Amino acid sequence: MVETANHNHGQPPNQVPPPPVVRPPLGSARGPVYPPAEQLLQLHYCIHSNPSWLQTAVLGFQHYIVMLGTTVMIATALVPRMGGSPGDKARVIQALLFMSGINTLLQTWFGSRLPTVMGPSFAYVISVLAIINDFSDSTFANEHERFTHTMRAIQGSLIVSSLINIVIGYSNAWGNLTRFFSPIVIVPVVCLVGLGLFVRGFPQLGNCVEIGLPMLILLVIGQQYLQHIHRAAGPLLERFALLVCVGIAWSFAAILTVAGAYNNVRESTKSSCRTDHSFLMSSAPWIKIPYPFQWGTPIFRASHVFGMMGAALVSSAESTGTFYAASRLAGATAPPGHVLSRSIGLQGVGQLLEGIFGAVVGTTAAVENVGLLGLTRVGSRRAVQISTAFMFFFSIFGKFGAFFASIPVPIFAAIYCVLYGIVAATGISFMQFANNNSMRNIYKLGLSLFLGMSISQYFVMNTDASGHGPVKTNGGWFDDILNTIFSSPPTVALIVGTLIDNTLEARHSVEERGLPWLIPFQRRKGDSRNDEFYGYPLRLSEYIPTRFL
């Protein structure tokens, strides 16, 4: 310090020190820095803009085809275990399609208001398997009687367990929970909404690789590369290449089926590859309108209800992550807490209707259809609403619906490889609103992502065909709740992420967590665009009490 003082003292009094050298940031020296974007700018149509009516109708049919795969997968996995015939499977698919149409209209009109298709959820499979297992030792006159008895038990559990979503939704409890969210919580939840469904991707595709793999390659080349080669047809290829690729791959599968390529193969290969092995065309009725209590009077058992409550909570968590992804891919802002709360409440109402109309599982926001918004760059709400017309039509006219339901599952799996990946990448985009270079955020993100995948995989691997998971106590209903909750990657990520983000240096890292960006959107009047994207149609808010908005 003495030497420095003497050195300064020896300088001439009027000499001005040289100005400091300002070096540009390393990133800007090597290339542009992209600022955060609250809304995606590369969409062709956002949530309230629409293409022509013809294109909108074709996009709606495309949404129907995409959601049909999950519907067929669930019916194929559950109905044979219940003793159902191909005709019963066709009626279950019809009921699922009919209820998906009703719930999609309800959500796009009075719920989240986002362009999300409400499709059947795999979250309910463990609870349904437990119900099936309860009747495995019972004596019935025939297999059809066992099927209808099981369906009546599922109906009863869906009806009663729907109350949990209705209560947490319309009491605004779910909206209050979302106040603890930050971009650091949203990122792993949305990522695992897509990545957590990896089993329905290439593992299903690999069951018939000669059909699924060409479909995947054809979709990537036809939808992405060809639009840059043929500029004039680029927009059409980007929006409708998926339908063309499905038609080509389906025709190829039909040719292999007729040519006898699968006559001398294993039964599992036949069910995956053949276009005529589902027997839906021969067993589906020409006209059948789903009606209330079509399987008979519901059966109510407390053990079944508690297990289904766990599935209802999981479907709420998964739908929340899907709604965040849909808001990005539809060109909207992040959904406010009161919108998420009313959408979960309405999802409970939808589950109540599903129990009344005899659906085999409840619904949730379809991840694959949200991915389709990003694939086509069309986030139009109208296109999703028009897709419900196809759901209603094919659920009533069974033969026509069975025709499209005979598309081999590996074709759907190839589509899901692309669509689930888009949703997962959308989750990563929320990280732009937080500090990417914070070690606290890196630690929290890594732990949430890894535990979300690892814990759920442990529960799935240790769950047998009867739905019994690793949690085994004297209370079967308690086992079903925990096994269902911890088998869901987004739900585990939501639990872990919310706990850590709000307890680990939470007060001292408000800006690092991205809360200044998210808080205005969480409040009802926090941002002027909230009402633009999420307000009720036709000024219905004037006639609805504020607590239900």
Side-chain angles (χ1 to χ4, degrees), residues 44-45 49-64 232-241 243 372 376-387 390:
H44 299 313
Y45 298 94
S49 60
N50 307 294
S52 66
W53 279 104
L54 177 60
Q55 290 194 29
T56 303
V58 178
L59 287 167
F61 179 70
Q62 196 166 237
H63 275 286
Y64 163 74
L236 293 178
L237 286 172
E238 188 172 45
R239 294 170 201 171
F240 308 117
L243 280 180
L372 186 61
T376 60
R377 301 192 188 186
V378 178
S380 169
R381 184 191 292 125
R382 180 184 294 172
V384 170
Q385 290 172 335
I386 287 181
S387 72
F390 295 100

Side-chain angles (χ1 to χ4, degrees), residues 18 61 234 254 280 286 370 512 516:
F61 179 70
L280 291 176
W286 277 104
V370 172
E512 285 188 2

Side-chain angles (χ1 to χ4, degrees), residues 78-345:
L78 295 179
V79 173
R81 296 176 183 269
M82 300 160 64
S85 64
D88 295 325
K89 176 182 172 182
R91 290 184 62 189
V92 167
I93 292 176
Q94 286 178 274
L96 290 173
L97 288 176
F98 188 79
M99 293 313 305
S100 293
I102 290 178
N103 288 325
T104 300
L105 280 180
L106 289 176
Q107 282 290 346
T108 54
W109 279 343
F110 313 115
S112 68
R113 298 280 291 151
L114 290 166
T116 51
V117 171
M118 302 301 292
S121 171
F122 273 90
Y124 294 84
V125 169
I126 293 179
S127 300
V128 173
L129 288 176
I131 296 174
I132 295 172
N133 184 64
D134 276 356
F135 299 120
S136 60
D137 297 330
S138 302
T139 303
F140 299 98
N142 50 58
E143 286 296 285
H144 181 71
E145 183 180 336
R146 183 164 78 92
F147 168 77
T148 55
H149 190 84
T150 307
M151 284 299 304
R152 290 166 57 199
I154 294 172
Q155 280 185 267
S157 59
L158 283 173
I159 290 172
V160 178
S161 62
S162 66
L163 296 177
I164 189 168
N165 279 355
I166 295 175
V167 170
I168 65 175
Y170 288 118
S171 68
N172 206 35
W174 195 261
N176 291 332
L177 173 65
T178 61
R179 295 179 183 178
F180 295 97
F181 290 1
S182 72
I184 305 301
V185 177
I186 296 172
V187 169
V189 173
V190 178
C191 284
L192 292 184
V193 160
L195 294 180
L197 300 174
F198 69 92
V199 175
R200 288 156 60 184
F202 206 88
Q204 291 281 353
L205 182 154
N207 291 333
C208 190
V209 70
E210 63 270 22
I211 294 176
L213 188 58
M215 172 64 194
L216 177 59
I217 296 173
L218 192 63
L219 179 59
V220 173
I221 294 177
Q223 204 270 341
Q224 292 293 324
Y225 287 90
L226 288 185
Q227 63 171 306
H228 300 292
I229 297 175
H230 199 294
R231 294 287 181 179
L236 293 178
L237 286 172
E238 188 172 45
R239 294 170 201 171
F240 308 117
L242 187 146
L243 280 180
V244 176
C245 295
V246 169
I248 294 173
W250 190 13
S251 301
F252 178 59
I255 292 173
L256 292 179
T257 300
V258 173
Y262 303 115
N263 290 343
N264 301 312
V265 297
R266 295 176 299 175
E267 191 66 24
S268 59
T269 304
K270 289 181 180 180
S271 62
S272 298
C273 301
R274 294 184 67 96
T275 57
D276 59 354
H277 200 69
S278 61
F279 305 109
L280 291 176
M281 283 292 296
S282 58
S283 57
W286 277 104
I287 299 177
K288 184 74 175 181
I289 301 176
Y291 56 90
F293 307 117
Q294 58 180 322
W295 310 111
T297 305
I299 298 174
F300 301 96
R301 282 194 182 181
S303 58
H304 298 164
V305 170
F306 282 110
M308 202 66 78
M309 281 183 176
L313 289 172
V314 168
S315 69
S316 300
E318 293 179 350
S319 289
T320 299
T322 308
F323 289 145
Y324 275 108
S327 66
R328 290 286 291 167
L329 295 175
T333 54
H338 73 280
V339 171
L340 292 173
S341 202
R342 80 187 184 202
S343 66
I344 297 304

